[in-house]
Amino acid sequence: MNWITNYVRPKINSLFSRREVPENLWTKCPECGTMLFHRELADNLNVCSNCDHHMAITPRDRFAALFDGGIFVEVKVPEPVADPLHFKDQKKYPERMKAAQKSTGEKEAMLVAEGEVLRTPIVAAAQDFAFMGGSMGMYVGNAFIAGARRAVELKRPFVVFSAAGGARMQEGILSLMQMPRTTVAIEMLKEAGLPYIVVLTHPTTGGVTASYAMLGDVQIAEPNALICFAGPRVIEQTIREKLPEGFQRAEYLLDHGMLDRVTHRKALRDELVTILRMLTNQSPAIRGELPQPAPEPAAPETPAS
């Protein structure tokens, strides 16, 4: 019996037992609760196919969908001082940084790249809310300025995708200093006559909203994105009144003149190209290429009579 119990039965169970399904194959939509298969969700740019809820998307995935063929070149960003204030709360600041880098696979909260969108060359920067809430520290300030300088150098438009909880408290006043620094960088773009487009994604709050996120030549937002300086809960607790439905959401801000467009993520690429080519006095983008016509065969020569 020991041989059957210890060897035969486990062997049979291992052959016929049900395989465990990995946990990351399905994602539950936080808005409608629909279970979405990971490949279907990725193909749909992290937008729920049932309710159109726009979920978070990483800067790399966004750039892969934005640039032609998913090809882009990262712009080098100057390295700031790692821990200028030697800040410590429940954890040391360097420990929080290492944890964020490990969980996201990114170096910091902003990625800057250059490439072409429907043959329209641009420089783009995108924030990652998963990296410490997309908070604006010295690196993010350096990244924004590096992107703006690269855009001026190449004479290209600069497109920024914002997603942030505000300034990074671990860097104190040095974080707040990035607000005027980025504003000066935007002035550089304006002096060079280059378009500066901002795409506000969920959520964009705090010092980012109070600086570069609201200074674009054209302000575009994704549907239902929270865009504010202080959050609705803080405002309600301060004024002790109930806020209107959808207050500080993209559609509400569009109705009240703070945004120019609210655009679905799948239509954003075409809309960006249309706006950028208008602002730079270029002809409409080429949507597809026809093969070069084959040369006509030469007519046969007639013999001389």
Side-chain angles (χ1 to χ4, degrees):
M1 290 296 293
N2 287 340
W3 179 74
I4 294 175
T5 303
N6 297 335
Y7 180 76
V8 177
R9 187 177 292 170
K11 190 68 174 177
I12 293 173
N13 289 339
S14 66
L15 291 173
F16 294 99
S17 62
R18 187 178 176 181
R19 287 185 176 181
E20 293 184 3
V21 179
E23 296 180 358
N24 60 349
L25 290 183
W26 296 88
T27 300
K28 184 177 181 180
C29 174
E31 192 71 20
C32 66
T34 303
M35 296 300 292
L36 304 165
F37 188 55
H38 71 111
R39 288 181 185 170
E40 177 190 353
L41 185 61
D43 291 341
N44 210 35
L45 301 181
N46 279 25
V47 177
C48 176
S49 55
N50 183 56
C51 69
D52 257 359
H53 175 67
H54 284 53
M55 303 182 200
I57 185 171
T58 66
R60 288 192 185 276
D61 289 343
R62 186 181 289 278
F63 286 168
L66 177 69
F67 289 110
D68 295 343
I71 300 170
F72 59 90
V73 178
E74 289 187 46
V75 174
K76 188 176 180 181
V77 177
E79 290 286 342
V81 179
D83 185 14
L85 304 181
H86 303 288
F87 192 93
K88 181 181 179 182
D89 46 273
Q90 293 178 345
K91 290 182 181 179
K92 292 181 180 179
Y93 182 34
E95 292 177 7
R96 290 196 180 276
M97 286 288 293
K98 288 178 182 178
Q101 289 168 348
K102 184 177 180 181
S103 62
T104 62
E106 293 293 343
K107 189 174 186 179
E108 251 284 357
M110 180 174 274
L111 181 67
V112 188
E114 59 184 80
E116 291 188 347
V117 184
L118 291 177
R119 290 194 172 182
T120 306
I122 68 166
V123 177
Q127 286 178 275
D128 188 356
F129 191 78
F131 195 105
M132 296 184 70
S135 51
M136 178 181 60
M138 290 188 295
Y139 186 94
V140 170
N142 286 356
F144 187 96
I145 293 167
R149 283 178 173 167
R150 186 63 176 162
V152 171
E153 180 185 346
L154 299 176
K155 297 182 180 178
R156 296 183 179 185
F158 189 36
V159 181
V160 172
F161 298 85
S162 65
R168 186 170 295 177
M169 68 173 188
Q170 288 89 348
E171 295 183 13
I173 190 66
L174 298 172
S175 175
L176 296 177
M177 285 171 61
Q178 308 314 308
M179 296 169 65
R181 289 184 75 214
T182 55
T183 304
V184 171
I186 294 167
E187 287 300 317
M188 287 169 41
L189 293 166
K190 290 184 177 180
E191 288 175 6
L194 298 170
Y196 169 55
I197 310 296
V198 182
V199 180
L200 299 109
T201 71
H202 177 78
T204 300
T205 62
V208 170
T209 310
S211 55
Y212 60 85
M214 297 304 293
L215 294 175
D217 298 317
V218 179
Q219 302 286 134
I220 306 173
E222 291 187 339
N224 204 38
L226 177 67
I227 303 163
C228 60
F229 181 71
R233 185 170 57 184
V234 174
I235 295 174
E236 283 185 343
Q237 291 173 351
T238 303
I239 66 175
R240 298 181 182 178
E241 290 183 16
K242 188 69 178 173
L243 296 172
E245 185 69 26
F247 184 69
Q248 295 179 319
R249 295 288 173 168
E251 292 76 8
Y252 184 92
L253 298 181
L254 178 66
D255 293 339
H256 289 76
M258 289 188 68
L259 297 175
D260 298 304
R261 303 282 287 174
V262 174
T263 305
H264 194 283
R265 188 176 290 167
K266 294 177 76 174
L268 187 59
R269 185 171 186 255
D270 289 339
E271 182 143 318
L272 277 173
V273 169
T274 301
I275 292 171
L276 290 172
R277 294 184 81 90
M278 274 181 164
L279 294 177
T280 53
N281 295 319
Q282 298 182 59
S283 58
I286 299 173
R287 303 289 171 178
E289 291 186 2
L290 295 175
Q292 186 177 2
E296 294 183 3
E301 295 182 2
T302 54
S305 57

